[in-house]
Amino acid sequence: MSKETLTIEKLCVRIGEKEILKGLDLKVCEGETHVIMGPNGAGKSTLGNTLMGKSEYEVTSGKITFMGEDLLAMSTDERARKGLFMSFQNPVEVPGVRLSEFVRNTCEAMGEKMSLWNFKKAAGEQMKVLGMDKTYLDRELNVGFSGGEKKKAEIFQLLMLKPKLAILDETDSGLDVDAVRTVSEGVKAYQEQTGGSLIIITHSTRILESLKVDRVHVIADGTIVCEGDSSLVDEINENGFEKYIGK
Amino acid sequence: MSGNLIINSLVPPTWNRLKVNEYELPLPGTLQQDTAADAFKTAGAGTAEGSLHIQTGCGKELSDALKEKGIIPKQILIKGPELVTSKIDYSGDAADVICIKAEEGQTLNILTDITSSADKAAGVLQILIEAAKGSVVNLSQLVRAGRDFTFVNDIGVVLEDGAGFNLSQVFAEGGRIISGYMALLSGEGSSSNVHAGLVRKASQFIDMNYVMRHTAPSTRSETYVSGALMEGGSKTFRGTIDFVKGCAGAEGAENENMLLLDDTVINKTVPLILCDEENVAGSHGASIGRPAEDMLYYMMSRGITRERALKILEKASLDSAVSYISDEKAREYVSSAIEGI
Ligand SMILES: Nc1ncnc2c1ncn2[C@@H]1O[C@H](COP(=O)(O)OP(=O)(O)O)[C@@H](O)[C@H]1O
Ligand SMILES: [Mg+2]
């Protein structure tokens, strides 16, 4: 049996007074790719942010084990250093901080000291995978980036940081066909380079085309209502979520 | 001299309920002079007795008090565009009035680096600038004084036809900073560009009063403040664009971009656009309290500690002011200085 990277047991989460996740279970093993689908407002981003440790997401009960350790006891930055990564649905703009400066800082935080020369070289190689121009390194982090550019910058960081588990929160939403293909290439490169695990939150099959999907989970109203293999993705795309809601 | 000076006053004083009309400065009894003038001399500039009468941002009460205390204005003689770096270190209570004239068509590059070796003290630096026709004065200021030091930075500029004044200010350290700026745009097509970057934490504060007075046609002013506040840091910014009758075609813009990193900070802004002329364009923009928590979360989600993320954001607040320093040597000087703060 392969090693468990992430185990979520009976997770309940609320924001303020509102209960959003209501007893969610999920297990992801080393090198596996899981897909999470579900209608808007189902709690998908909440799951990602809870895993990442965003402060307003209050875990009222349940347990999360990551790489054999209690994830909930760690701060956000500790989780990242343990090998957890999330590609944000809406990456925030950080004026005044250049992409290169930021990513160098993140690499350093991960314990990877690189000379400027080696950093530029490594960055250049990963940007090539994503068809990103090197001039992006000098731009302010996400400032004025188009939707597609923001998502590519997220995948660029995924490739630089090489986490054990990456959560991609609608990384493909709102992108044109070519951009989705590029991002998908980037995700594939991550898998090939690191053998890491993936949780892909998506509404479409396109980002999954070049990936081998191990398991598909459907979230509705804060719990997993249906699970299956990759054929479930096509089924949902054909018939929608109706069948699973209010079940 | 008894009692406190009332400086950095807003005209007209209409904002009483916010208690932001002015700043009350307890000026020390005795003040050394020539700390700044000597620093300019060390930097290779000539000095002579000066006599410029120019209104400043801090205002008349400060100018009068300095005169009363016998502070003699010193003219700084600078010949060309070669950067003059004046390293001003305060070892006690001190005040200077520095006069600078840019001759017709001349370009001057000046950098003042303010430090303090005496902590519990106050330094007053008044800089009066006359920019003749077509001249350009680039003044960069770095303030990194002690945590218990009071620094009064007071600037007055008069601009003739086509003259330009570019001010980049980096307020990195120093317990109390009072900063005044007044640009009299009295020459047709003259311009004032101000970029101020500030970080205030551990109960430090800054009180700013910036007045851009447009009296001539087609004058332009741009004032940009960016900063980060945390740990009880506080900032008051009064920005007045004053369009006086006769300044047709003038344009004035002020913009603020403040990052509030926790809820112990005080951030006050008083934008004021006074208009006595029809054909002008004035604007105020602010993105205050940007989603700092979201930025920190994003940065931490990539493995950066909260402390380090705060440092990165602090530096970013100063960097935008640094990036507007046009003289390369000055830019590098300031950039490497804030690296270590
Ligand atoms: N910060 C927040 N404050 C209050 N409610 C929130 C917040 N974030 C999400 N929610 C609510 O939680 C529910 C789930 O949201 P989310 O996890 O973003 O859904 P999904 O990503 O599946 O579309 C929604 O009803 C949403 O309105
Ligand atoms: Mg979402």
Side-chain angles (χ1 to χ4, degrees):
Chain A
M1 209 185 113
S2 58
K3 263 196 349 221
E4 284 171 20
T5 301
L6 177 78
T7 314
I8 302 175
E9 295 162 80
K10 299 192 177 58
L11 181 68
C12 295
V13 174
R14 70 171 179 214
I15 306 173
E17 291 300 300
K18 194 174 172 195
E19 186 155 36
I20 297 171
L21 297 185
K22 303 165 184 171
L24 185 141
D25 296 288
L26 184 69
K27 191 189 285 179
V28 177
C29 290
E30 199 178 316
E32 284 182 352
T33 298
H34 290 242
V35 170
I36 291 184
M37 304 184 83
N40 293 328
K44 304 183 296 297
S45 294
T46 300
L47 175 62
N49 281 310
T50 304
L51 289 170
M52 216 62 244
K54 194 171 192 198
S55 56
E56 61 261 40
Y57 294 74
E58 190 195 339
V59 176
T60 51
S61 65
K63 205 175 144 197
I64 307 177
T65 311
F66 177 63
M67 304 298 293
E69 288 182 57
D70 178 10
L71 189 74
L72 295 173
M74 296 179 219
S75 63
T76 295
D77 54 313
E78 282 172 329
R79 296 176 193 206
R81 291 197 298 274
K82 273 268 159 352
L84 188 62
F85 178 96
M86 178 164 80
S87 164
F88 283 74
Q89 186 170 359
N90 301 303
V92 67
E93 301 190 359
V94 188
V97 179
R98 288 175 207 276
L99 179 63
S100 61
E101 186 192 351
F102 180 68
V103 178
R104 262 197 103 188
N105 266 290
T106 62
C107 290
E108 241 165 61
M110 298 297 174
E112 209 173 323
K113 281 240 181 247
M114 270 190 271
S115 67
L116 186 60
W117 174 263
N118 285 338
F119 170 77
K120 287 238 157 113
K121 203 172 141 224
E125 277 164 19
Q126 304 294 14
M127 290 178 107
K128 216 193 272 165
V129 175
L130 297 165
M132 281 173 92
D133 197 278
K134 270 195 204 164
T135 55
Y136 278 102
L137 284 173
D138 292 326
R139 300 229 344 227
E140 291 174 81
L141 185 54
N142 297 327
V143 176
F145 282 27
S146 70
E149 288 166 345
K150 278 185 182 165
K151 299 299 174 72
K152 280 186 193 174
E154 292 289 281
I155 300 304
F156 165 59
Q157 292 176 58
L158 167 70
L159 290 171
M160 291 299 287
L161 296 181
K162 305 184 176 20
K164 301 270 190 321
L165 169 65
I167 305 154
L168 310 183
D169 191 358
E170 299 205 20
T171 298
D172 51 348
S173 292
L175 303 192
D176 64 44
V177 191
D178 292 337
V180 174
R181 189 171 300 129
T182 311
V183 161
S184 178
E185 287 298 320
V187 177
K188 195 173 156 207
Y190 158 74
Q191 264 189 335
E192 284 167 0
Q193 289 172 21
T194 69
S197 315
L198 283 160
I199 294 177
I200 301 176
I201 299 171
T202 184
H203 290 296
S204 102
T205 49
R206 276 195 271 121
I207 192 173
L208 307 173
E209 266 163 23
S210 50
L211 303 171
K212 181 186 143 298
V213 174
D214 293 289
R215 198 97 185 122
V216 179
H217 315 261
V218 178
I219 298 189
D221 194 25
T223 53
I224 288 175
V225 291
C226 176
E227 292 177 306
D229 60 19
S230 58
S231 63
L232 190 54
V233 178
D234 296 314
E235 204 224 291
I236 284 169
N237 272 320
E238 245 161 71
N239 305 321
F241 292 114
E242 222 158 271
K243 190 167 142 195
Y244 307 102
I245 299 171
K247 199 162 113 175
Chain B
M1 184 92 224
S2 66
N4 294 346
L5 296 182
I6 305 296
I7 63 173
N8 270 6
S9 307
L10 197 64
V11 261
T14 47
W15 294 71
N16 219 352
R17 78 201 150 82
L18 287 173
K19 289 206 166 84
V20 290
N21 279 337
E22 71 252 328
Y23 180 75
E24 262 190 70
L25 176 74
L27 197 66
T30 43
L31 293 160
Q32 255 173 29
Q33 62 171 301
D34 288 344
T35 309
D38 289 346
F40 273 103
K41 234 188 260 176
T42 306
T47 60
E49 228 166 83
S51 67
L52 286 177
H53 298 283
I54 292 175
Q55 280 189 60
T56 64
C58 283
K60 192 167 179 305
E61 229 175 271
L62 179 66
S63 298
D64 288 349
L66 293 175
K67 200 186 278 174
E68 199 176 306
K69 284 185 183 292
I71 305 295
I72 300 162
K74 287 286 160 67
Q75 179 90 31
I76 302 300
L77 308 166
I78 303 169
K79 290 195 186 67
E82 181 89 18
L83 178 70
V84 173
T85 305
S86 170
K87 299 180 190 176
I88 305 169
D89 182 64
Y90 290 100
S91 57
D93 295 331
D96 277 86
V97 178
I98 298 294
C99 306
I100 296 167
K101 277 187 187 177
E103 307 295 341
E104 194 172 324
Q106 210 179 20
T107 296
L108 302 182
N109 285 297
I110 302 159
L111 169 64
T112 61
D113 178 9
I114 310 295
T115 53
S116 65
S117 46
D119 206 16
K120 271 198 161 62
V124 180
L125 177 62
Q126 197 172 59
I127 302 180
L128 309 176
I129 298 166
E130 202 175 66
K133 225 171 154 177
S135 66
V136 176
V137 178
N138 300 314
L139 174 62
S140 312
Q141 298 193 292
L142 169 63
V143 180
R144 41 175 174 164
R147 286 279 165 101
D148 229 344
F149 193 77
T150 302
F151 180 56
V152 181
N153 188 59
D154 187 26
I155 297 173
V157 193
V158 176
L159 296 144
E160 290 183 5
D161 286 358
F165 181 61
N166 302 311
L167 176 65
S168 293
Q169 298 178 305
V170 175
F171 300 110
E173 278 289 356
R176 291 167 289 278
I177 298 174
I178 297 95
S179 183
Y181 174 72
M182 158 100 63
L184 182 62
L185 296 141
S186 57
E188 188 165 346
S190 59
S191 66
S192 154
N193 292 296
V194 178
H195 288 89
L198 61 99
V199 172
R200 300 282 83 186
K201 56 182 163 186
S203 304
Q204 295 172 327
F205 79 78
I206 186 163
D207 188 285
M208 308 166 81
N209 188 45
Y210 288 37
V211 183
M212 285 56 69
R213 182 160 290 151
H214 295 255
T215 63
S218 307
T219 46
R220 284 192 50 250
S221 73
E222 201 174 288
T223 308
Y224 184 79
V225 179
S226 77
L229 301 177
M230 69 191 95
E231 302 158 14
S234 102
K235 181 225 80 184
T236 297
F237 173 69
R238 303 173 200 81
T240 304
I241 304 173
D242 186 4
F243 293 115
V244 179
K245 193 146 194 67
C247 73
E251 284 175 29
E254 48 186 23
N255 236 295
E256 222 189 329
N257 203 343
M258 292 299 296
L259 195 53
L260 313 181
L261 291 165
D262 59 50
D263 52 17
T264 65
V265 305
I266 300 171
N267 180 46
K268 293 179 186 171
T269 301
V270 188
L272 204 56
I273 297 178
L274 305 171
C275 201
D276 242 341
E277 175 63 53
E278 217 174 307
N279 174 26
V280 295
S283 68
H284 172 81
S287 50
I288 286 169
R290 282 171 352 209
E293 236 0 273
D294 285 353
M295 286 185 204
L296 289 170
Y297 169 57
Y298 181 81
M299 296 169 90
M300 288 168 74
S301 84
R302 301 287 141 90
I304 297 171
T305 61
R306 192 178 177 90
E307 292 69 41
R308 179 83 192 126
L310 284 168
K311 276 265 174 261
I312 292 171
L313 291 177
E314 263 178 56
K315 200 176 153 287
S317 299
L318 299 175
D319 271 346
S320 78
V322 177
S323 70
Y324 280 96
I325 300 177
S326 57
D327 185 86
E328 201 181 315
K329 270 193 213 145
R331 193 169 60 244
E332 271 167 22
Y333 183 102
V334 177
S335 179
S336 69
I338 60 171
E339 202 72 51
I341 288 172

